Amino acid sequence: MTQITKHVRNQIPRPAEDERGITLQTLIVTAVLVLMAVAAGVIIAAITNSSSDDLEEQSQDLDSLCAPWELHDPVLEANAAGGGSEFSLQLSPPGGPSNAGKGGVTSSKIGCLPVCYIRLNDPGDRTLDAFRMGAATDGSDLWLDRSNDPPEVKIIRIGVTYQRNDQYLPQNYLTELNANKTWNYGQLQNRGAATGRGKQQLGTHLPPTSSDLIVRVSNDQESCVIEDTSTSEIVYQGRRN
């Protein structure tokens, strides 16, 4: 009986040693491939995030090259447009040299474009502080415009000083800035004329202010805002594009 049992056991087929080896090898290879795929995914995700961060930092670095109320424009930079020195009544007498930038764009540096415009509401709006006190609550008195258009009567383009038209005294030298660096609301009226734009770009200027207020482009670059730099608070939100 014992011999018969041994004989039957000997007849049961056993898996070949090479088949068991192949099965184990297949599992190992599959596991390695899965781990490699996971590692590749992690690396790709890290590279993508790093590239995105680098691009964002590069964009911020480019914008930081310009004044807060300007946008960096690669096309302007490629054409070497922009730039210009600060306006001065002494440096720009009537008929004298202009401190305007190149390519019809006056800005703090090449490749920068001033895009913030302010509408003065009354003769009291001679500084940024005074403007803020009387500005419309809906933000309509401050806006962003990428057109590079000269401002109309009673409108200031932040960062750029213009010579204004005067239909009665065409030789008279009028600017939107007084000698004490306040906005000249009276001269913006062009002696009663209801229309007209800035005639000639004379150079750059800082927004007249007596506090820590600045005009800057919003983070999403869709509007201009007034910020209190001492608190980083947005104290006035201009209208959005």
Side-chain angles (χ1 to χ4, degrees):
M1 183 65 176
T2 302
Q3 292 181 351
I4 295 176
T5 302
K6 290 182 178 181
H7 177 73
V8 172
R9 289 177 179 175
N10 290 336
Q11 299 303 314
I12 297 175
R14 299 178 179 178
E17 293 183 2
D18 57 344
E19 290 181 359
R20 286 182 296 180
I22 291 175
T23 301
L24 181 59
Q25 183 178 12
T26 301
L27 292 175
I28 295 174
V29 171
T30 302
V32 170
L33 291 176
V34 170
L35 291 175
M36 290 177 63
V38 172
V42 171
I43 293 174
I44 292 174
I47 293 175
T48 301
N49 292 335
S50 177
S51 300
S52 177
D53 292 341
D54 291 343
L55 181 60
E56 183 177 354
E57 291 177 1
Q58 182 179 10
S59 177
Q60 292 175 350
D61 290 340
L62 289 174
D63 288 336
S64 66
L65 296 176
C66 301
W69 48 85
E70 297 173 338
L71 288 177
H72 180 266
D73 189 327
V75 176
L76 291 182
E77 185 172 27
N79 293 325
S85 58
E86 186 175 355
F87 165 76
S88 169
L89 289 172
Q90 287 71 37
L91 295 177
S92 300
S98 171
N99 297 311
K102 301 177 181 179
V105 178
T106 296
S107 60
S108 61
K109 295 181 180 66
I110 295 293
C112 298
L113 177 67
V115 294
C116 293
Y117 291 72
I118 275 182
R119 177 183 289 104
L120 304 185
N121 296 297
D122 57 64
D125 293 346
R126 294 182 182 273
T127 65
L128 190 56
D129 308 70
F131 162 81
R132 183 210 167 191
M133 295 298 294
T137 56
D138 61 0
S140 60
D141 294 330
L142 173 64
W143 64 93
L144 185 149
D145 185 348
R146 294 178 172 87
S147 66
N148 194 40
D149 285 342
E152 297 179 357
V153 174
K154 299 184 182 179
I155 293 177
I156 298 291
R157 184 180 184 187
I158 297 296
V160 186
T161 301
Y162 285 85
Q163 180 180 359
R164 295 283 177 162
N165 294 315
D166 190 314
Q167 61 184 5
Y168 298 103
L169 295 174
Q171 301 304 317
N172 195 17
Y173 186 66
L174 299 179
T175 71
E176 61 191 21
L177 278 183
N178 294 312
N180 63 356
K181 300 296 183 71
T182 60
W183 288 320
N184 193 326
Y185 179 90
Q187 290 182 348
L188 293 183
Q189 296 183 69
N190 290 345
R191 296 185 179 273
T195 59
R197 288 181 178 271
K199 179 180 181 181
Q200 180 184 5
Q201 298 181 11
L202 300 175
T204 64
H205 74 259
L206 300 176
T209 185
S210 56
S211 67
D212 296 316
L213 301 183
I214 63 165
V215 176
R216 72 169 178 84
V217 177
S218 61
N219 294 336
D220 61 6
Q221 300 187 349
E222 292 296 327
S223 64
C224 292
V225 300
I226 298 178
E227 176 182 324
D228 187 335
T229 57
S230 65
T231 62
S232 299
E233 178 188 2
I234 302 301
V235 297
Y236 187 77
Q237 172 71 58
R239 73 170 182 250
R240 302 178 64 81
N241 283 349

